[in-house]
Amino acid sequence: MLTSIYLIAITAEAMSGALAAGRRNMDLFGVAVIAFVTALGGGSVRDVLLGNFPVTWTQNPHYIYLTVSGGLLAVALARFMHRLRDLFLVLDALGLVAFTIIGCNVAMQLGYDVPIVIISGITTGIVGGILRDVLCNRTPLVFRQELYATVSLLVAMCYLYLLNYQVSADTALLASFSLGLLSRMSAIRWGLCLPLFRYSPARWD
Amino acid sequence: MLTSIYLIAITAEAMSGALAAGRRNMDLFGVAVIAFVTALGGGSVRDVLLGNFPVTWTQNPHYIYLTVSGGLLAVALARFMHRLRDLFLVLDALGLVAFTIIGCNVAMQLGYDVPIVIISGITTGIVGGILRDVLCNRTPLVFRQELYATVSLLVAMCYLYLLNYQVSADTALLASFSLGLLSRMSAIRWGLCLPLFRYSPARWD
Amino acid sequence: MLTSIYLIAITAEAMSGALAAGRRNMDLFGVAVIAFVTALGGGSVRDVLLGNFPVTWTQNPHYIYLTVSGGLLAVALARFMHRLRDLFLVLDALGLVAFTIIGCNVAMQLGYDVPIVIISGITTGIVGGILRDVLCNRTPLVFRQELYATVSLLVAMCYLYLLNYQVSADTALLASFSLGLLSRMSAIRWGLCLPLFRYSPARWD
C-alpha cells in the first residue's frame, strides 16, 4: 500500500513543481527539472545526509519517467487545475505523509537514533518543496503554509511512537495517515497555522 | 583533447559566475566563491549524488586555482566583456558540451544505467549555472535561455547513441561537440527556444 | 576549549538564522529549521563534500536540540536584540573562527591537502550563513559584509601556517582566535571591506 501511495505522491509533488515553474515562465525542460527535483529532491538530500548510497532513484529509472511525465501532465492540465484544487490538496497531503513515513523507515533501517529518524522523515517530506521554491526564487512556502512541515513532524512522531509500542506496522501506517490527512485538511479548512515570528528591526544585520 | 577543452570550460564558467556576482555588487571574495561554485558545483553535485567519493576537485587543487583566477580575470576584463561577447558565448557552449560528456563518462565508469548516465551528464552541464543563479538570488537562466539545458540533453543522447553503436570514442566526441555547438549557436542566432509554460492562476498556492 | 566555544557558536549561529526567518515572517517550525540549517548546514556540506560519513550531527542529537532551542530563544529575546547587538556580534565572530578551525581539523584528519583543508575550513565557517540567506530568499550577506568570509580565510591560513611550524596546538588556536576576532571587530568598527565588483552592462548576462 505504501508503495502505491508513494507513486501517487511523487506524481502529485512533480505536478506541484511544474506549476511553480509555470509561474516563473520556465520552458518545458525547466518544468521537467523542477518536477523531478520537487518529487525526488527530498529523498536525495536524505540519502546523501545519511550516507545511504546509491541514492534511491539512481537504482530505479521509472521514478524519473514518472516525475517528468507528472510535470508535463500538469502543463496539459494547467487550465483545469482550479477545478482539481481539492483533489490536488488531498494528493499533496497523502504525499507528505507517505514521504515522511518512508524517510523514517530508511533511517531506521540504517540504524540511526530516534531524533535522526524523525529528521529523516521531515527531510523527505518537505525538502523537495523547499528546493522547488529556492529554484523558483521564492521564500519556501512550507514554512508559512497551514501546518505543512508541522504535519510531517506530527506524523513522524506518531509513527515512531506506535512502532515503539509494538503496534503492527499496518496499524501504525493507518493511524499515521489518518492523523496526517486529518490535521492537514483541518488546517486548510480552518486556516490553522503555527504562530508566526515577525521580526523587522529598524536597523540590524 | 577533452581535458584541454575542460580546462577552457571551467575557466569560462568561472568567468560567467564572476560576472553574475558583479551584478550583485559582491566583494572579491564573493566573486571568487561564485566563480568556483559555478565552475565546479555541477561536478560536485554529480559526484555526491552518484556516491563518487572523493569528489573530483578535492584531488586536484589546480582546478581551484584555475577557477579563482578565472573569476578574478573576469573582474579585470569586465569593461571589455561586451566586445568579447561572441567569443565568450562560444567558450560557454564548448563548456556545456564538455561538462555534459565528462558527466556521462563518470556515470558510465561507475556502472550506472543509461537514464542515470544522461542525468549525470545534464547535472554536470547545468547545475553549476543553477547554483550561480540561486546564490545570486535570481531565477535560474538555464531554464529560460535559448536551448541551454536542452543542448545538454541532446549532446548526452547523441554521445551515448554513438558509443552504443561501437563508433570510436573520438568520432563520438567530435559528433557530439558539433551537434552541441551547432544547436546552441543556432538557438542564439535565431532565438530558438522550447515552448514556455506560463501559469498565473487568479488564486492558487 | 574549542568544544565549549563550538557550543556557544552553534547557538549564536542558530539565533542569527532565527532572526533572518523572522524577517520573512516564518512560522515557529520554519524558525527552528532555519536555525538548525544555519548552525549545522556548513558542517553538513563539508562532511558530504569530503565524503566524511556519517555526518557529524547525526551522531550527536544534542546539537539538534541546542540549535532548535537557540532559534526559539532568539524569538523570545527578539525585542531585546538591539541591546544585545554588540554581544551578538562578538559571539558570531567567535563562531566564525571556531567553525573554520574545526573544519580545517576535520579535513586534516581525513588526510586532504592544504588547499582542500582551507576550503573545508571556509565551508564550515560560511556555508551555514549562505544556506540561511538562500532559504530566506536574499543575496548571501557573507559576500558583502565587512570582511566576513575573508576572516575565515585568514584564520584558516594562520592556523595551518602555525601548525606547519610545529607551534603547539593551543598556541595556534589562541593566535587564530585573536587574529579572527581582531580582524572581524576592526572591520565592523571601521567599516573595512574588500573591494566590491560592480558589473551592470547595458545588455548582457
Side-chain angles (χ1 to χ4, degrees), chain C residues 116-183:
Chain C
I116 309 302
V117 170
I118 291 178
I119 289 183
S120 172
I122 298 173
T123 301
T124 315
I126 70 174
V127 167
I130 294 175
L131 290 174
R132 173 197 67 205
D133 292 343
V134 165
L135 289 177
C136 292
N137 199 21
R138 61 183 188 187
T139 304
L141 285 173
V142 299
F143 301 139
R144 302 175 70 181
Q145 260 176 338
E146 300 89 350
L147 294 194
Y148 195 88
T150 312
V151 168
S152 183
L153 173 64
L154 283 179
V155 166
M157 285 169 61
C158 161
Y159 183 62
L160 293 183
Y161 184 84
L162 292 177
L163 288 188
N164 189 41
Y165 283 92
Q166 313 291 338
V167 173
S168 80
D170 282 354
T171 317
L173 268 184
L174 202 68
S176 306
F177 267 99
S178 311
L179 174 68
L181 281 180
L182 210 71
S183 55

Side-chain angles (χ1 to χ4, degrees), chain B residues 56-189:
Chain B
T56 313
W57 57 262
T58 63
Q59 304 304 301
N60 205 332
H62 298 298
Y63 293 167
I64 304 167
Y65 306 139
L66 191 61
T67 54
V68 170
S69 311
L72 299 181
L73 181 68
V75 175
L77 293 181
R79 73 179 65 186
F80 310 111
M81 285 309 290
H82 63 282
R83 293 200 205 149
L84 301 172
R85 188 169 187 267
D86 289 348
L87 172 64
F88 198 74
L89 284 174
V90 174
L91 294 181
D92 184 60
L94 267 177
L96 178 64
V97 179
F99 278 30
T100 303
I101 291 177
I102 289 169
C104 290
N105 285 341
V106 169
M108 273 192 289
Q109 275 153 24
L110 293 167
Y112 281 100
D113 284 343
V114 168
I116 310 302
V117 170
I118 292 178
I119 288 183
S120 172
I122 298 174
T123 300
T124 315
I126 71 174
V127 167
I130 293 175
L131 289 174
R132 173 196 66 205
D133 291 345
V134 165
L135 290 177
C136 293
N137 199 21
R138 60 183 188 187
T139 305
L141 285 173
V142 299
F143 300 139
R144 303 174 71 180
Q145 260 176 338
E146 300 90 350
L147 295 194
Y148 195 87
T150 313
V151 167
S152 182
L153 174 64
L154 283 178
V155 166
M157 286 170 61
C158 161
Y159 183 62
L160 292 184
Y161 184 85
L162 292 177
L163 289 187
N164 189 41
Y165 283 93
Q166 313 291 339
V167 172
S168 79
D170 282 354
T171 317
L173 268 184
L174 201 68
S176 306
F177 267 99
S178 310
L179 174 69
L181 282 180
L182 209 73
S183 55
R184 174 76 177 130
M185 288 301 143
S186 318
I188 293 175
R189 179 70 187 78

Side-chain angles (χ1 to χ4, degrees), chain A residues 10-11 14-15 32 35-37 39-40 62-72:
Chain A
I10 58 177
T11 312
M15 290 176 74
F36 174 74
V37 170
L40 299 175
H62 298 296
Y63 292 167
I64 304 167
Y65 306 139
L66 192 61
T67 54
V68 171
S69 311
L72 299 180

